[in-house]
Amino acid sequence: MMILAAAEAAKADTTWLVTTLVLAIALILFLILKWRVQAFVALLVASVFVGVFSGTMELTEVGQTIQSSMGGSLGFIATVIGLGAIFGAMIEHSGGAHSLANGLLRIFGEKKATWAMLLTGFLISIPVFLDVALVIIAPILYALARKTGKSLLTFGLPLLAGMVVTHSFVPPTPGPTWVAYEFGVPIGTVILYSALVGFPTAVIAGIFIGGRIANQVHISPPELEVAEQKDGPGFGVILGILLLPVVLIVAGSLVEQAVGSGISAGLDKKERGIELARLVSEAPMWQQIVAFFGHPILALLLSTILTLWLLGVKRGVKKDQLMEVATRSLGPAGIIILITGAGGVFKGMLGKTGVGDALADLLSGFGMIPVLLAFAFSAISRIAQGSATVAMVMAASLMAPLLAEMDLSNAKLSLVVIAIASGAAGFSHVNDSGFWMVSRYFRMTEKETFKTWSVVSTWVGVIGVALASILWFLVP
């Protein structure tokens, strides 16, 4: 009788805690959609709600948990996002995006301009936000469409597919970087798997599916005079600058994996980090140097300093102007930093109150592989409130307790990151600011935007999670 009573009490606790989570998610969506509350505030309010309503935490602990969780989340991600914002702003200001696009067009030629646009989108969205990148590259799209007489979508949809895949899938862009950090998976490993899944996803959605759509919907370029762009840096310089942080981070991760291959799987995240640091400090000097520069913060710091020198000082840009560009770039970055920090608070509150564990217990019996569950969480949030960043934050917060109870390799954790990114990248519609950016710059009606961009973005999400699911059964 006592065992049955305990089981019933545990079931009641689980039901109550899961109910708390459902209400918290509903509260977030209500605040964002109905009252138009900024996502940062909505996530904090929902975190307080979980702390109070769960009944498993003292009221005096709520504020302290918010403080500690915010600090734990922002120590890494704020630095990465801040450096990445300056890095991207210098490439934008110098005309580097144009140099990259024009260089790829020269390599591929007019007949394969769609591939040049795909690669431009894939590379330029590493440091530059999608909406900014679209504004920068739009004149090149218009010129290509006028010159060839083809639909603007012929070149635009591959560009957009490349942009949205990199922006959502590939670190060091903010969303996947934060998710990878919260899951404790090396950024370099995520980059490798994100590129492995992301590039074919962009090709299928942008070139093949986008090509068919462009043949069915003809959008003429606007008859506008486009201002002449100043001469940008060389194509090789821009390509090297873009790839430098990625190469450094991947190299650092490979060294750490090689050095730490013998670490016991029974250690927790913090203990593994301490043991890995010890092993790296005892490794040969060349491995220590690679690991040093391969840390995401140091890789981005080095790349940012090099960018300021090559694209700024060396090209005669005044120091005050460099300061202005860097300072201005931190405005949009601040919003993303606060949202991801609030997401860390929400995740921390779920863990502290036991709500996350209750969700993990409930879902463990469903038999759904984690990549599909992660995709579902992310896609539902994306469809409901529109922001890809918020969708990734919410999905990661919900998945973290479940993953903590599973002994997954870094490869499989990377695939979960990709699944979350897939859900956040897809299903663009009227509550997504990107939907209206595409509609404006492609001069399309809402109906045309639904038939073109919404379809391509949805295919990006579906193809991304499909490829991640296939790899799930192939990787160790």
Side-chain angles (χ1 to χ4, degrees):
M1 290 294 291
M2 291 180 63
I3 294 176
L4 287 175
E8 287 297 323
K11 183 177 179 181
D13 287 343
T14 298
T15 302
W16 179 258
L17 292 175
V18 171
T19 300
T20 299
L21 175 60
V22 172
L23 292 174
I25 294 173
L27 177 61
I28 292 172
L29 296 177
F30 178 79
L31 291 174
I32 294 175
L33 299 177
K34 183 68 175 177
W35 283 5
R36 308 304 297 167
V37 174
Q38 223 288 330
F40 167 65
V41 177
L43 284 164
L44 289 181
V45 171
S47 299
V48 174
F49 173 84
V50 170
V52 173
F53 199 71
S54 65
T56 60
M57 175 184 288
E58 296 293 336
L59 292 178
T60 53
E61 294 182 89
V62 173
Q64 185 59 42
T65 301
I66 292 174
Q67 179 180 332
S68 60
S69 298
M70 178 71 78
S73 294
L74 292 186
F76 171 77
I77 198 65
T79 311
V80 170
I81 293 175
L83 289 171
I86 298 172
F87 181 57
M90 281 306 304
I91 291 175
E92 173 197 347
H93 180 264
S94 68
H98 274 264
S99 296
L100 178 69
N102 288 326
L104 289 170
L105 283 171
R106 286 194 300 270
I107 293 171
F108 282 89
E110 190 177 298
K111 290 184 178 179
K112 294 184 178 179
T114 53
W115 288 90
M117 289 295 98
L118 178 87
L119 284 173
T120 297
F122 199 83
L123 291 171
I124 202 61
S125 277
I126 293 173
V128 180
F129 292 135
L130 186 146
D131 53 349
V132 176
L134 178 58
V135 173
I136 296 170
I137 305 297
I140 296 178
L141 293 178
Y142 299 159
L144 276 172
R146 290 194 193 100
K147 185 176 181 180
T148 61
K150 295 181 179 179
S151 171
L152 189 58
L153 298 173
T154 301
F155 311 104
L157 290 179
L159 175 75
L160 290 169
M163 284 179 175
V164 75
V165 165
T166 305
H167 185 71
S168 299
F169 284 40
V170 186
T173 53
T177 300
W178 184 83
V179 177
Y181 176 73
E182 290 298 314
F183 289 171
V185 55
I187 302 297
T189 307
V190 178
I191 290 175
L192 287 172
Y193 280 95
S194 295
L196 181 63
V197 172
F199 189 71
T201 297
V203 169
I204 295 171
I207 299 292
F208 298 110
I209 296 174
R212 293 184 62 181
I213 292 172
N215 290 333
Q216 297 168 2
V217 182
H218 185 88
I219 302 295
S220 299
E223 294 299 327
L224 296 174
E225 291 295 326
V226 180
E228 285 293 323
Q229 293 290 323
K230 60 184 178 181
D231 292 335
F235 170 73
V237 172
I238 288 298
L239 186 62
I241 287 173
L242 287 174
L243 294 180
L244 177 61
V246 175
V247 171
L248 289 176
I249 293 170
V250 170
S253 290
L254 291 175
V255 166
E256 289 186 350
Q257 288 181 31
V259 171
S261 58
I263 296 178
S264 172
L267 300 179
D268 61 25
K269 177 182 174 181
K270 184 177 180 179
E271 291 170 337
R272 285 180 62 84
I274 295 173
E275 180 64 12
L276 179 61
R278 185 187 68 80
L279 291 174
V280 170
S281 68
E282 297 174 355
M285 182 56 65
W286 72 269
Q287 289 185 321
Q288 293 186 43
I289 292 173
V290 173
F292 173 80
F293 285 108
H295 190 284
I297 290 177
L298 291 172
L300 275 170
L301 179 60
L302 175 63
S303 301
T304 301
I305 292 172
L306 189 63
T307 301
L308 289 168
W309 170 253
L310 290 176
L311 304 186
V313 175
K314 196 173 180 182
R315 289 169 56 82
V317 180
K318 295 180 179 179
K319 295 177 182 178
D320 288 344
Q321 195 172 4
L322 284 177
M323 175 69 78
E324 181 185 349
V325 171
T327 303
R328 189 172 61 244
S329 71
L330 294 177
I335 297 173
I336 297 176
I337 289 170
L338 289 175
I339 291 175
T340 52
V345 172
F346 188 58
K347 170 181 171 288
M349 197 67 76
L350 295 183
K352 186 78 171 179
T353 58
V355 171
D357 293 334
L359 177 66
D361 291 340
L362 178 67
L363 296 176
S364 60
F366 282 14
M368 184 183 296
I369 61 173
V371 287
L372 294 180
L373 187 60
F375 174 78
F377 282 148
S378 183
I380 291 170
S381 176
R382 164 71 159 166
I383 293 168
Q385 52 76 42
S387 169
T389 301
V390 174
M392 296 182 79
V393 164
M394 289 183 62
S397 300
L398 297 174
M399 286 299 299
L402 179 63
L403 298 177
E405 296 185 0
M406 306 174 70
D407 185 20
L408 297 179
S409 66
N410 286 331
K412 291 202 169 185
L413 286 172
S414 297
L415 295 176
V416 178
V417 175
I418 293 168
I420 289 175
S422 298
F427 315 103
S428 176
H429 64 100
V430 293
N431 64 358
D432 172 25
S433 61
F435 177 92
W436 298 105
M437 284 290 296
V438 172
S439 176
R440 175 187 172 192
Y441 276 89
F442 285 73
R443 304 305 198 270
M444 293 189 294
T445 65
E446 288 83 353
K447 182 178 180 180
E448 288 171 331
T449 310
F450 269 117
K451 292 170 62 177
T452 56
W453 165 236
S454 294
V455 172
V456 168
S457 72
T458 299
W459 274 109
V460 165
V462 171
I463 295 167
V465 74
L467 293 177
S469 298
I470 293 171
L471 285 177
W472 179 267
F473 296 102
L474 299 178
V475 302

